[in-house]
Amino acid sequence: MASGVGGASAAAAAAAAAAATAGDAATATSLARASAPAVVYHIAGLASDAQFATAERLGAIMQTLLPCVASESRMYLEDECERESVALATRLGIGTAGGAAAHALPSPVIWTSTGRLVGGLIDFATYVRDCYGVECDYDPATTAAVTQANVRQVRAARAAAAEA
């Protein structure tokens, strides 16, 4: 299935490039955006973590600038940390003898839809800067505001789920 997505993206990218060469920027843009992303970055971490907010922003910037990239975020609260870490470690095939390795997972942890572990924020930020030329544009005040909003969002979702 992954090769089908990549093939569709490659074909759409070729069509977009041809349209761009022909001078039809609107067609090139719509063709590029209509294609499935070639890579999806999954970002999981604590809602209250400034590094999670930064990684989430990097994913959003890439998704906006690069039609071949998508990002999906999963944030959780402190009381869900151990359960989420163990589940994620199991999903990614990271050894969890007695659950010990799950505690070593960074927040955030980033991986691709193919299951390739990118790592924590430093690994991800270095990778996206080197590969895509993307850097986070948040200042410390913005990062703090985003982490507070993330916590409120998770708490609100939890309350709504409890009412349902």
Side-chain angles (χ1 to χ4, degrees):
M1 184 168 187
S3 62
V5 170
S9 294
T21 301
D24 188 355
T27 300
T29 301
S30 70
L31 283 170
R33 295 231 182 259
S35 66
V39 63
V40 178
Y41 292 99
H42 299 273
I43 304 163
L46 291 168
S48 60
D49 184 7
Q51 290 190 1
F52 173 79
T54 301
E56 190 176 35
R57 178 64 179 156
L58 286 169
I61 292 169
M62 286 193 309
Q63 187 168 303
T64 300
L65 296 177
L66 307 165
C68 63
V69 174
S71 70
E72 297 178 1
S73 298
R74 165 77 172 109
M75 54 187 161
Y76 45 85
L77 299 176
E78 297 279 341
D79 62 346
E80 302 167 309
C81 187
E82 184 173 346
R83 178 179 45 103
E84 291 290 335
S85 290
V86 170
L88 185 55
T90 301
R91 178 179 178 181
L92 295 175
I94 299 170
T96 57
H103 298 291
L105 288 179
S107 176
V109 62
I110 299 99
W111 70 99
T112 67
S113 54
T114 62
R116 182 180 67 82
L117 181 64
V118 176
L121 174 62
I122 293 172
D123 301 313
F124 186 53
T126 300
Y127 179 77
V128 300
R129 183 192 65 231
D130 293 350
C131 290
Y132 302 109
V134 171
E135 293 185 302
C136 188
D137 56 356
Y138 279 174
D139 60 27
T142 301
T143 303
V146 169
T147 58
Q148 291 171 0
N150 283 346
V151 170
R152 285 191 302 272
Q153 181 181 349
V154 173
R155 286 184 179 150
R158 187 186 274 185
E163 291 177 5

